[in-house]
């Protein structure tokens, strides 16, 4: 037996074991750091979703959206509900119903179908010109103020200042319409 060769082999194995131990330690430390980063990111991730048209930057966290996003969604909803003609109301109604909360779906669908039938019967067009959007991030709603013009057979029958409350809920990575209703128009 060659003791010199045996000693050098043992030294070589010990050196390899030390380097393997350092490698395993570095991998374990990397796993711990990755776990800490993941735990740190939980609950603070902002999901970026896209509204129908992008005019401003915005953010969404868990169940709340920024006032910029609420403004964009409210103006889109107002356009779908209030800017209608006999030929466009069915398409806009279907588009609107894609955003409605499930528990409000039936009531809003019935309301929009009745309105569509009325507009077609009297050949009316409504045009809404928003003048002010007042968002509330805490309540996740927007008050939309503006002028609603009504034309029947091409003749203007009304041109009134109106205000509407548009309430939203955020779930399932999507903004849903909770309420769209007229409120008394009072200047702020």
């Amino acid at each position: 037996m060659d003791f010199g060769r045996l000693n050098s082999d043992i030294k070589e194995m010990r050196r390899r074991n030390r380097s393997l131990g350092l490698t395993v330690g570095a991998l374990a430390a990397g796993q711990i750091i990755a776990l800490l980063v993941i735990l740190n990111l939980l609950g603070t991730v902002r999901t970026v979703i896209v509204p129908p048209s992008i005019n401003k930057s915005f953010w969404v966290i868990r169940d709340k959206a920024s006032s910029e996003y609420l403004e964009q969604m409210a103006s889109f909803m107002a356009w779908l509900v209030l800017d209608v003609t006999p030929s466009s109301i069915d398409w806009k109604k279907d588009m609107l119903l894609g955003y409605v909360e499930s528990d409000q779906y039936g009531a809003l669908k019935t309301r929009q179908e009745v309105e569509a039938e009325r507009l077609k019967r009297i050949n009316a067009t409504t045009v809404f010109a928003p003048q002010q959007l007042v968002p509330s991030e805490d309540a996740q709603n927007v008050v939309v103020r503006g002028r609603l013009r009504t034309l029947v057979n091409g003749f203007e029958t009304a041109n009134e200042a109106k205000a509407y409350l548009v309430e939203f809920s955020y779930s399932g990575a999507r903004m849903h319409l909770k309420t769209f209703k007229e409120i008394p128009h009072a200047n702020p």
Side-chain angles (χ1 to χ4, degrees):
M1 185 171 252
D2 186 8
F3 287 109
R5 187 170 176 199
L6 179 63
N7 282 337
S8 71
D9 287 345
I10 289 174
K11 285 181 184 179
E12 178 65 24
M13 289 181 73
R14 286 182 182 159
R15 187 183 60 73
R16 283 185 189 169
N17 282 345
R18 273 193 302 273
S19 68
L20 288 174
L22 289 174
T23 303
V24 168
L27 289 173
Q31 291 283 22
I32 290 170
I33 290 170
L35 180 63
L36 291 174
V37 167
I38 290 170
L39 289 175
N40 210 10
L41 288 176
L42 286 177
T44 61
V45 175
R46 287 185 179 183
T47 304
V48 177
I49 55 177
V50 180
S53 67
I54 300 174
N55 302 325
K56 299 177 184 177
S57 62
F58 56 86
W59 54 262
V60 176
I61 297 177
R62 288 191 198 146
D63 59 348
K64 291 204 181 254
S66 70
S67 60
E68 293 85 3
Y69 185 75
L70 292 172
E71 286 177 3
Q72 292 179 55
M73 286 299 292
S75 61
F76 178 64
M77 294 300 155
W79 176 75
L80 288 175
V81 174
L82 302 170
D83 245 17
V84 292
T85 66
S87 61
S88 72
I89 192 162
D90 289 327
W91 177 82
K92 286 188 173 186
K93 173 190 62 140
D94 293 338
M95 179 72 82
L96 176 71
L97 292 175
Y99 288 94
V100 175
E101 256 187 355
S102 58
D103 58 340
Q104 301 295 322
Y105 185 89
L108 192 59
K109 181 178 180 184
T110 303
R111 185 179 102 184
Q112 289 301 102
E113 285 173 348
V114 167
E115 182 66 12
E117 184 59 38
R118 185 184 74 82
L119 283 179
K120 289 175 184 177
R121 185 173 24 85
I122 64 173
N123 193 30
T125 298
T126 59
V127 179
F128 184 71
Q131 296 170 333
Q132 183 183 30
L133 300 166
V134 183
S136 169
E137 282 183 20
D138 295 331
Q140 292 291 284
N141 66 32
V142 180
V143 174
V144 181
R145 291 186 179 93
R147 297 207 67 81
L148 182 66
R149 225 175 127 206
T150 305
L151 300 134
V152 177
N153 289 322
F155 296 103
E156 186 173 305
T157 59
N159 190 347
E160 304 170 308
K162 299 273 188 173
Y164 297 90
L165 177 66
V166 186
E167 292 181 307
F168 296 101
S169 66
Y170 182 79
S171 65
R174 185 154 184 212
M175 186 65 73
H176 298 279
L177 178 65
K178 266 173 70 170
T179 306
F180 188 99
K181 64 182 178 182
E182 186 175 351
I183 59 174
H185 185 278
N187 290 327

